[in-house]
CSV table of all heavy atoms in Angstrom, one decimal:
chain,number,residue,atom,x,y,z
A,39,GLU,N,65.3,24.5,-5.3
A,39,GLU,CA,64.9,25.4,-4.3
A,39,GLU,C,65.0,26.9,-4.9
A,39,GLU,O,64.1,27.7,-4.8
A,39,GLU,CB,65.6,25.4,-3.1
A,39,GLU,CG,65.4,24.1,-2.2
A,39,GLU,CD,66.1,24.2,-0.9
A,39,GLU,OE1,67.3,24.7,-0.9
A,39,GLU,OE2,65.6,23.7,0.1
A,40,ASP,N,66.1,27.0,-5.7
A,40,ASP,CA,66.3,28.4,-6.3
A,40,ASP,C,65.3,28.7,-7.4
A,40,ASP,O,64.8,29.7,-7.5
A,40,ASP,CB,67.8,28.5,-6.7
A,40,ASP,CG,68.1,29.9,-7.3
A,40,ASP,OD1,67.9,30.8,-6.5
A,40,ASP,OD2,68.7,29.9,-8.4
A,41,MET,N,65.1,27.7,-8.1
A,41,MET,CA,63.9,27.8,-9.2
A,41,MET,C,62.7,28.1,-8.6
A,41,MET,O,61.9,29.0,-9.1
A,41,MET,CB,63.9,26.6,-10.1
A,41,MET,CG,65.1,26.3,-11.0
A,41,MET,SD,64.8,24.7,-11.9
A,41,MET,CE,63.5,25.2,-13.0
A,42,TYR,N,62.3,27.5,-7.5
A,42,TYR,CA,61.1,27.7,-6.8
A,42,TYR,C,61.0,29.1,-6.3
A,42,TYR,O,60.0,29.8,-6.6
A,42,TYR,CB,61.0,26.6,-5.7
A,42,TYR,CG,59.7,26.8,-4.9
A,42,TYR,CD1,58.4,26.4,-5.4
A,42,TYR,CD2,59.6,27.4,-3.7
A,42,TYR,CE1,57.2,26.7,-4.8
A,42,TYR,CE2,58.5,27.6,-2.9
A,42,TYR,CZ,57.3,27.2,-3.5
A,42,TYR,OH,56.2,27.4,-2.8
A,43,GLU,N,62.1,29.5,-5.7
A,43,GLU,CA,62.0,30.9,-5.0
A,43,GLU,C,62.0,31.9,-6.2
A,43,GLU,O,61.5,33.0,-5.8
A,43,GLU,CB,63.2,31.0,-4.2
A,43,GLU,CG,63.1,30.2,-2.9
A,43,GLU,CD,64.4,30.1,-2.0
A,43,GLU,OE1,65.5,30.4,-2.5
A,43,GLU,OE2,64.2,29.7,-0.8
A,44,ARG,N,62.5,31.7,-7.3
A,44,ARG,CA,62.5,32.7,-8.5
A,44,ARG,C,61.1,32.6,-9.3
A,44,ARG,O,61.0,33.3,-10.2
A,44,ARG,CB,63.7,32.5,-9.3
A,44,ARG,CG,65.0,32.9,-8.7
A,44,ARG,CD,66.1,32.9,-9.7
A,44,ARG,NE,66.1,31.6,-10.5
A,44,ARG,CZ,67.1,31.1,-10.9
A,44,ARG,NH1,68.4,31.5,-10.7
A,44,ARG,NH2,67.0,30.0,-11.7
A,45,GLY,N,60.3,31.6,-8.9
A,45,GLY,CA,59.0,31.5,-9.6
A,45,GLY,C,59.1,30.7,-10.9
A,45,GLY,O,58.2,30.7,-11.7
A,46,GLN,N,60.2,30.0,-11.1
A,46,GLN,CA,60.5,29.3,-12.2
A,46,GLN,C,59.8,27.9,-12.2
A,46,GLN,O,59.7,27.1,-13.2
A,46,GLN,CB,61.9,29.2,-12.6
A,46,GLN,CG,62.6,30.5,-13.0
A,46,GLN,CD,64.0,30.3,-13.2
A,46,GLN,OE1,64.7,29.6,-12.4
A,46,GLN,NE2,64.6,31.1,-14.1
A,47,ALA,N,59.5,27.5,-11.0
A,47,ALA,CA,58.7,26.2,-10.8
A,47,ALA,C,57.7,26.5,-9.7
A,47,ALA,O,58.0,27.0,-8.6
A,47,ALA,CB,59.7,25.1,-10.3
A,48,ARG,N,56.5,26.1,-10.0
A,48,ARG,CA,55.4,26.3,-9.0
A,48,ARG,C,55.5,25.3,-7.8
A,48,ARG,O,55.0,25.6,-6.8
A,48,ARG,CB,54.1,26.2,-9.7
A,48,ARG,CG,53.8,27.4,-10.6
A,48,ARG,CD,52.3,27.4,-11.0
A,48,ARG,NE,52.1,28.7,-11.7
A,48,ARG,CZ,50.9,28.9,-12.3
A,48,ARG,NH1,50.0,28.0,-12.3
A,48,ARG,NH2,50.9,30.1,-12.9
A,49,ALA,N,56.1,24.2,-8.1
A,49,ALA,CA,56.3,23.1,-7.1
A,49,ALA,C,57.6,22.4,-7.4
A,49,ALA,O,57.9,22.2,-8.5
A,49,ALA,CB,55.1,22.2,-7.0
A,50,ILE,N,58.2,21.9,-6.4
A,50,ILE,CA,59.4,21.0,-6.6
A,50,ILE,C,59.3,19.8,-5.7
A,50,ILE,O,58.6,19.8,-4.7
A,50,ILE,CB,60.7,21.8,-6.1
A,50,ILE,CG1,60.6,22.4,-4.7
A,50,ILE,CG2,61.0,23.0,-7.2
A,50,ILE,CD1,61.9,23.1,-4.2
A,51,GLY,N,59.9,18.7,-6.2
A,51,GLY,CA,59.8,17.5,-5.6
A,51,GLY,C,60.8,16.6,-6.0
A,51,GLY,O,61.8,16.9,-6.6
A,52,VAL,N,60.7,15.3,-5.5
A,52,VAL,CA,61.6,14.3,-5.8
A,52,VAL,C,61.0,13.0,-6.4
A,52,VAL,O,59.8,12.9,-6.3
A,52,VAL,CB,62.4,14.0,-4.4
A,52,VAL,CG1,63.3,15.1,-4.0
A,52,VAL,CG2,61.5,13.4,-3.3
A,53,SER,N,61.8,12.1,-6.8
A,53,SER,CA,61.3,10.9,-7.4
A,53,SER,C,62.2,9.8,-6.8
A,53,SER,O,63.4,9.8,-6.8
A,53,SER,CB,61.3,10.9,-8.9
A,53,SER,OG,60.7,9.8,-9.4
A,54,ASN,N,61.5,8.7,-6.3
A,54,ASN,CA,62.3,7.5,-5.9
A,54,ASN,C,63.0,7.7,-4.6
A,54,ASN,O,64.1,7.1,-4.4
A,54,ASN,CB,63.2,6.9,-7.0
A,54,ASN,CG,62.4,6.7,-8.2
A,54,ASN,OD1,61.5,5.8,-8.3
A,54,ASN,ND2,62.7,7.4,-9.3
A,55,PHE,N,62.6,8.6,-3.8
A,55,PHE,CA,63.3,8.9,-2.5
A,55,PHE,C,62.7,8.0,-1.4
A,55,PHE,O,61.4,8.0,-1.3
A,55,PHE,CB,63.2,10.4,-2.1
A,55,PHE,CG,64.3,11.2,-2.7
A,55,PHE,CD1,64.6,11.2,-4.1
A,55,PHE,CD2,65.0,12.2,-2.0
A,55,PHE,CE1,65.5,11.9,-4.7
A,55,PHE,CE2,66.0,13.0,-2.5
A,55,PHE,CZ,66.2,12.9,-3.8
A,56,SER,N,63.5,7.4,-0.6
A,56,SER,CA,63.0,6.7,0.6
A,56,SER,C,62.8,7.7,1.7
A,56,SER,O,63.3,8.9,1.6
A,56,SER,CB,64.0,5.7,1.0
A,56,SER,OG,65.3,6.2,1.4
A,57,GLU,N,62.4,7.3,2.8
A,57,GLU,CA,62.2,8.2,4.0
A,57,GLU,C,63.7,8.6,4.5
A,57,GLU,O,63.8,9.7,4.9
A,57,GLU,CB,61.4,7.5,5.1
A,57,GLU,CG,61.7,6.2,5.6
A,57,GLU,CD,61.2,5.0,4.8
A,57,GLU,OE1,61.1,5.1,3.5
A,57,GLU,OE2,60.8,4.1,5.4
A,58,HIS,N,64.6,7.8,4.3
A,58,HIS,CA,66.0,8.1,4.7
A,58,HIS,C,66.5,9.2,3.9
A,58,HIS,O,67.1,10.2,4.4
A,58,HIS,CB,66.9,6.8,4.6
A,58,HIS,CG,68.4,7.2,4.6
A,58,HIS,ND1,69.0,7.5,5.8
A,58,HIS,CD2,69.3,7.3,3.6
A,58,HIS,CE1,70.3,7.8,5.5
A,58,HIS,NE2,70.4,7.7,4.2
A,59,HIS,N,66.3,9.2,2.5
A,59,HIS,CA,66.8,10.2,1.6
A,59,HIS,C,66.2,11.5,2.0
A,59,HIS,O,66.8,12.6,2.0
A,59,HIS,CB,66.5,9.9,0.2
A,59,HIS,CG,67.1,8.6,-0.3
A,59,HIS,ND1,66.4,7.6,-0.9
A,59,HIS,CD2,68.4,8.2,-0.3
A,59,HIS,CE1,67.2,6.6,-1.2
A,59,HIS,NE2,68.5,7.0,-0.9
A,60,LEU,N,64.8,11.5,2.3
A,60,LEU,CA,64.1,12.7,2.6
A,60,LEU,C,64.5,13.3,3.9
A,60,LEU,O,64.8,14.5,4.0
A,60,LEU,CB,62.6,12.4,2.6
A,60,LEU,CG,62.0,12.1,1.3
A,60,LEU,CD1,60.6,11.4,1.5
A,60,LEU,CD2,61.8,13.4,0.4
A,61,GLU,N,64.8,12.5,4.9
A,61,GLU,CA,65.2,12.9,6.2
A,61,GLU,C,66.7,13.5,6.0
A,61,GLU,O,67.0,14.6,6.6
A,61,GLU,CB,65.4,11.8,7.2
A,61,GLU,CG,64.0,11.3,7.8
A,61,GLU,CD,63.5,12.3,8.9
A,61,GLU,OE1,64.3,12.9,9.6
A,61,GLU,OE2,62.3,12.4,9.1
A,62,GLN,N,67.5,12.8,5.4
A,62,GLN,CA,68.9,13.4,5.2
A,62,GLN,C,68.9,14.7,4.4
A,62,GLN,O,69.7,15.6,4.7
A,62,GLN,CB,69.7,12.3,4.5
A,62,GLN,CG,71.3,12.7,4.5
A,62,GLN,CD,72.1,11.5,4.0
A,62,GLN,OE1,71.7,10.7,3.1
A,62,GLN,NE2,73.3,11.4,4.7
A,63,LEU,N,68.1,14.8,3.4
A,63,LEU,CA,68.1,16.0,2.6
A,63,LEU,C,67.8,17.2,3.5
A,63,LEU,O,68.4,18.2,3.5
A,63,LEU,CB,67.0,15.8,1.6
A,63,LEU,CG,66.9,17.0,0.6
A,63,LEU,CD1,68.2,17.1,-0.3
A,63,LEU,CD2,65.7,16.8,-0.3
A,64,MET,N,66.8,17.1,4.4
A,64,MET,CA,66.4,18.2,5.3
A,64,MET,C,67.4,18.4,6.3
A,64,MET,O,67.9,19.6,6.7
A,64,MET,CB,65.1,17.8,6.0
A,64,MET,CG,63.9,17.7,4.9
A,64,MET,SD,63.8,19.1,3.8
A,64,MET,CE,63.4,20.6,4.8
A,65,LYS,N,68.0,17.3,6.9
A,65,LYS,CA,69.1,17.4,7.9
A,65,LYS,C,70.2,18.1,7.4
A,65,LYS,O,71.0,18.8,8.0
A,65,LYS,CB,69.4,16.1,8.5
A,65,LYS,CG,70.5,16.0,9.6
A,65,LYS,CD,70.7,14.6,10.0
A,65,LYS,CE,72.1,14.3,9.7
A,65,LYS,NZ,72.8,13.3,9.0
A,66,ASP,N,70.7,17.8,6.1
A,66,ASP,CA,71.8,18.4,5.5
A,66,ASP,C,71.7,19.9,5.0
A,66,ASP,O,72.7,20.5,4.6
A,66,ASP,CB,72.3,17.6,4.3
A,66,ASP,CG,72.8,16.2,4.6
A,66,ASP,OD1,73.1,16.0,5.9
A,66,ASP,OD2,73.0,15.4,3.8
A,67,GLY,N,70.5,20.4,5.2
A,67,GLY,CA,70.5,21.8,5.0
A,67,GLY,C,69.4,22.3,3.9
A,67,GLY,O,69.3,23.5,3.5
A,68,ALA,N,68.6,21.4,3.4
A,68,ALA,CA,67.5,21.8,2.5
A,68,ALA,C,66.6,22.8,3.2
A,68,ALA,O,66.3,22.6,4.4
A,68,ALA,CB,66.6,20.6,2.0
A,69,ARG,N,66.2,23.9,2.5
A,69,ARG,CA,65.4,24.9,3.1
A,69,ARG,C,63.9,24.6,2.9
A,69,ARG,O,63.0,25.1,3.7
A,69,ARG,CB,65.7,26.3,2.5
A,69,ARG,CG,67.1,26.8,2.8
A,69,ARG,CD,67.3,28.2,2.3
A,69,ARG,NE,66.9,28.4,0.9
A,69,ARG,CZ,67.4,28.1,-0.2
A,69,ARG,NH1,68.6,27.5,-0.2
A,69,ARG,NH2,66.9,28.4,-1.4
A,70,ILE,N,63.6,24.0,1.8
A,70,ILE,CA,62.2,23.6,1.4
A,70,ILE,C,62.0,22.1,1.5
A,70,ILE,O,62.7,21.4,0.7
A,70,ILE,CB,61.9,24.2,0.0
A,70,ILE,CG1,62.1,25.8,0.0
A,70,ILE,CG2,60.5,23.9,-0.4
A,70,ILE,CD1,62.1,26.5,-1.3
A,71,LEU,N,61.0,21.7,2.1
A,71,LEU,CA,60.5,20.2,2.1
A,71,LEU,C,60.0,19.9,0.7
A,71,LEU,O,59.2,20.7,0.2
A,71,LEU,CB,59.4,20.0,3.2
A,71,LEU,CG,58.9,18.6,3.3
A,71,LEU,CD1,60.1,17.7,4.0
A,71,LEU,CD2,57.7,18.6,4.2
A,72,PRO,N,60.5,18.8,0.2
A,72,PRO,CA,59.9,18.4,-1.1
A,72,PRO,C,58.4,18.4,-1.0
A,72,PRO,O,57.8,17.9,0.0
A,72,PRO,CB,60.5,17.0,-1.4
A,72,PRO,CG,61.7,17.0,-0.6
A,72,PRO,CD,61.5,17.9,0.6
A,73,MET,N,57.7,18.9,-2.1
A,73,MET,CA,56.2,19.0,-2.1
A,73,MET,C,55.6,17.6,-2.6
A,73,MET,O,54.5,17.4,-2.3
A,73,MET,CB,55.9,20.1,-2.9
A,73,MET,CG,56.3,21.4,-2.3
A,73,MET,SD,56.3,22.7,-3.6
A,73,MET,CE,57.2,23.9,-2.7
A,74,VAL,N,56.5,16.9,-3.4
A,74,VAL,CA,55.9,15.7,-4.1
A,74,VAL,C,57.1,14.7,-4.0
A,74,VAL,O,58.3,15.0,-4.1
A,74,VAL,CB,55.5,16.0,-5.6
A,74,VAL,CG1,55.2,14.7,-6.3
A,74,VAL,CG2,54.5,17.0,-5.7
A,75,ASN,N,56.7,13.4,-3.9
A,75,ASN,CA,57.6,12.3,-4.0
A,75,ASN,C,56.9,11.4,-5.0
A,75,ASN,O,55.9,10.8,-4.7
A,75,ASN,CB,57.9,11.5,-2.7
A,75,ASN,CG,59.0,10.5,-2.8
A,75,ASN,OD1,59.6,10.4,-3.9
A,75,ASN,ND2,59.2,9.7,-1.8
A,76,GLN,N,57.5,11.3,-6.2
A,76,GLN,CA,56.9,10.4,-7.3
A,76,GLN,C,57.6,9.1,-7.1
A,76,GLN,O,58.8,9.0,-7.3
A,76,GLN,CB,57.2,11.0,-8.6
A,76,GLN,CG,56.7,10.3,-9.7
A,76,GLN,CD,57.1,10.7,-11.1
A,76,GLN,OE1,58.3,10.8,-11.4
A,76,GLN,NE2,56.2,11.4,-11.9
A,77,ILE,N,56.8,8.0,-6.9
A,77,ILE,CA,57.3,6.7,-6.7
A,77,ILE,C,56.5,5.7,-7.6
A,77,ILE,O,55.3,6.0,-7.9
A,77,ILE,CB,57.3,6.3,-5.2
A,77,ILE,CG1,55.9,6.3,-4.7
A,77,ILE,CG2,58.2,7.0,-4.4
A,77,ILE,CD1,55.8,5.7,-3.3
A,78,GLU,N,57.2,4.6,-7.9
A,78,GLU,CA,56.5,3.6,-8.6
A,78,GLU,C,55.4,3.0,-7.7
A,78,GLU,O,55.8,2.6,-6.6
A,78,GLU,CB,57.5,2.5,-9.1
A,78,GLU,CG,56.8,1.4,-9.8
A,78,GLU,CD,57.7,0.3,-10.2
A,78,GLU,OE1,58.9,0.3,-9.8
A,78,GLU,OE2,57.3,-0.7,-10.8
A,79,ALA,N,54.2,3.0,-8.1
A,79,ALA,CA,53.1,2.5,-7.4
A,79,ALA,C,52.0,1.9,-8.3
A,79,ALA,O,51.7,2.5,-9.2
A,79,ALA,CB,52.5,3.5,-6.3
A,80,SER,N,51.5,0.7,-7.9
A,80,SER,CA,50.4,0.2,-8.7
A,80,SER,C,49.6,-0.8,-7.6
A,80,SER,O,50.1,-0.9,-6.5
A,80,SER,CB,50.9,-0.6,-9.8
A,80,SER,OG,51.6,-1.8,-9.5
Side-chain angles (χ1 to χ4, degrees):
E39 287 179 327
D40 188 50
M41 288 181 69
Y42 178 75
E43 289 169 342
R44 289 188 315 214
Q46 296 174 319
R48 288 193 172 174
I50 54 176
V52 295
S53 186
N54 304 299
F55 275 47
S56 71
E57 52 276 41
H58 165 76
H59 298 126
L60 291 161
E61 282 284 332
Q62 187 168 38
L63 185 67
M64 298 311 294
K65 183 182 114 228
D66 289 349
R69 297 181 319 275
I70 301 170
L71 181 70
M73 298 160 191
V74 174
N75 189 6
Q76 182 187 66
I77 58 175
E78 180 182 4
S80 72

